[in-house]
Amino acid sequence: MSLAALAGFVVGAFAVLFYRNQIETPNRTESSHDAEVGALPQGVASVLAVLPSSAVVLDAHDRVLRASSAARAFGLVKGDRLMAAELLALARQVRRDGEIRESEIEVAGHRFGQETTSFAVRVAPLGSHGQVLVLAEDQTEMRRVDAVRRDFVANVSHELKTPVGALSLLAETIQDAADDPEAVTRFAGRMQHEAARLAYLVQDLITLSRIQGAEPIPTPGQVLIDEVVHEAIDYSTTKAAGKDITLVSGGLEGLRVWGDEELLATALRNLIDNAIAYSPEHTRVVVSTRPAGESVEISVSDQGIGIPEEALERIFERFFRVDAARSRATGGTGLGLAIVKHVAAAHGGEVTVWSKEGSGSTFTLRLPAFGGTAVAVPKPLEAAL
Ligand code: ADP
């Protein structure tokens, strides 16, 4: 091997090691100091390279000797400086007494739109030259998920407390009115109403947790969309009749998707129920199906109150309601659209909404067609009522 080839090989090997380890050494101008404390104890660089955390090694003078690319990307290190003052103080304490320390720190957000990044940090002495190792784990996502979970539990407790409280009050009232049969009948009716609300809420919570934990769907099969539409419309017919709302189905027949018929019917039922609940009497709700390339679309249109533009992106959140009083009055649980969103996602599809206040809304479920292409036969609009 010629000298030039050998030199090339050595340089190449260092370059590969550098990238594999993703550990960078900051540019230094003074190198005399490095000779004394600059070298990492043997094997440390390789160990740091396999750690998932952001890793930083400080020398005896608080200068960054090594930093993983993650540590730089998170903004913990700039040049040869550790940026978080809290972390630097911790490193100095560790250097002083040689004790390993753990802590949690917040660092100003480095990504657009992110206020802070939370880190779980571990700081330890390294070798005998006053070097200190800092390991930092990004906890932001974990914290966010925790907060969402806590919010959900708080919301569920609140939602459960309302009907339970009402039931307890009504039971007391009935006791007091024991010798007034008319009042007893009236309050018993209201008790039934509250008990039904509780049952809907529990049922929706069960459906939501089932669908959230069931991605992908446990036992998918070929589903004929006509069956789904038929089942959902059948279920809502009485509710529509109660408000003299005409339920119409139309579009194209014979469309198929791959999934779970019961879940899809639940999703469509929620959309139809909403269309009825948020529409005035004597209006029309239209359910229509159509092929759209590799997808199948089922849409539910109403002539109802519509949704304010600023609320459109929040309506699929659990327990979000535009008008809480109205939702409760119509027996809403605030979970219907969250269920629809999860059912669509579990099928590899999505749900979208178009709405105009005072004119009405159209919700569209878009699902991947069975076999990759939607095949259908025309069907005239038909009134279900
Ligand atoms: P709810 O049980 O309150 O109906 P959903 O999750 O089904 O809960 O819907 C969330 C909110 O979105 C509703 O409270 C309502 O404000 C709004 N909404 C849903 N569907 C419609 C619709 N078709 N027309 C008008 N508003 C709607």
Side-chain angles (χ1 to χ4, degrees):
M1 196 185 278
S2 74
L3 199 61
L6 185 66
F9 174 75
V10 171
V11 169
F14 267 107
V16 168
L17 269 177
F18 178 79
Y19 278 106
R20 273 190 49 200
N21 290 351
Q22 286 195 307
I23 292 284
E24 299 161 13
T25 308
N27 289 333
R28 288 291 183 76
T29 44
E30 339 106 87
S31 56
S32 60
H33 150 89
D34 277 13
E36 175 201 332
V37 292
L40 287 179
Q42 220 188 354
V44 168
S46 324
V47 173
L48 294 185
V50 295
L51 290 178
S53 333
S54 301
V56 181
V57 178
L58 296 178
D59 68 11
H61 306 279
D62 288 339
R63 274 183 296 195
V64 173
L65 199 56
R66 296 284 164 116
S68 65
S69 12
R72 289 186 185 282
F74 277 124
L76 287 173
V77 170
K78 278 208 182 99
D80 69 350
R81 293 275 151 224
L82 192 59
M83 294 314 286
E86 227 179 313
L87 212 49
L88 197 58
L90 215 57
R92 285 177 182 158
Q93 280 178 358
V94 169
R95 188 181 295 118
R96 228 175 289 135
D97 60 20
E99 268 185 37
I100 298 176
R101 285 187 169 73
E102 285 181 2
S103 182
E104 294 197 352
I105 63 157
E106 304 267 325
V107 174
H110 62 286
R111 286 186 207 124
F112 180 72
Q114 188 182 6
E115 279 177 12
T116 55
T117 309
S118 317
F119 291 97
V121 296
R122 208 174 151 81
V123 186
L126 192 69
S128 52
H129 293 296
Q131 294 176 355
V132 175
L133 169 67
V134 177
L135 295 174
E137 202 93 50
D138 180 7
Q139 306 262 297
T140 316
E141 180 59 15
M142 211 178 83
R143 293 262 181 96
R144 195 192 61 80
V145 170
D146 256 9
V148 168
R149 193 175 302 139
R150 268 200 310 273
D151 272 7
F152 182 61
V153 171
N155 276 331
V156 169
S157 319
H158 176 78
E159 296 287 335
L160 287 171
K161 249 165 72 185
T162 316
V164 169
L167 277 172
S168 150
L169 266 177
L170 285 164
E172 255 176 56
T173 319
I174 284 185
Q175 225 168 18
D176 293 345
D179 47 4
D180 180 352
E182 224 175 83
V184 168
T185 313
R186 198 169 65 246
F187 291 128
R190 285 183 48 193
M191 278 183 91
Q192 269 169 357
H193 177 78
E194 292 299 334
R197 238 180 84 180
L198 205 53
Y200 289 142
L201 180 60
V202 171
Q203 187 51 52
D204 274 1
L205 284 170
I206 291 171
T207 308
L208 195 60
S209 75
R210 206 182 119 211
I211 183 68
Q212 279 181 331
E215 293 172 30
I217 296 156
T219 48
Q222 200 184 134
V223 180
L224 189 60
I225 292 299
D226 303 326
E227 299 278 340
V228 174
V229 173
H230 193 254
E231 212 177 308
I233 284 187
D234 241 17
Y235 179 90
S236 306
T237 303
T238 318
K239 225 175 234 175
K243 286 177 83 173
D244 189 26
I245 285 177
T246 313
L247 253 181
V248 180
S249 79
L252 295 172
E253 279 183 331
L255 294 165
R256 284 164 206 276
V257 297
W258 181 250
D260 182 310
E261 184 174 320
E262 201 191 314
L263 281 177
L264 288 171
T266 302
L268 189 58
R269 207 163 58 215
N270 276 315
L271 292 180
I272 299 175
D273 266 4
N274 280 349
I276 296 169
Y278 301 105
S279 289
E281 293 183 344
H282 323 298
T283 51
R284 267 159 70 100
V285 170
V286 179
V287 182
S288 74
T289 50
R290 70 179 198 100
E294 293 173 355
S295 305
V296 167
E297 284 182 2
I298 314 169
S299 60
V300 179
S301 301
D302 63 53
Q303 302 169 313
I305 58 172
I307 301 161
E309 205 181 330
E310 64 277 10
L312 279 177
E313 62 183 44
R314 296 205 55 198
I315 53 172
F316 296 99
E317 287 173 21
R318 297 175 295 196
F319 295 121
F320 178 85
R321 297 149 162 133
V322 175
D323 177 346
R326 177 164 187 149
S327 158
R328 291 212 175 85
T330 56
T333 63
L335 293 175
L337 289 179
I339 291 174
V340 177
K341 186 179 90 177
H342 282 286
V343 170
H347 283 79
E350 58 169 1
V351 55
T352 52
V353 58
W354 172 92
S355 187
K356 191 158 183 258
E357 262 185 293
S359 299
S361 312
T362 297
F363 285 82
T364 304
L365 258 177
R366 194 169 295 112
L367 306 163
F370 177 75
T373 319
V375 184
V377 287
K379 170 174 86 162
L381 277 184
E382 74 187 34
L385 269 176

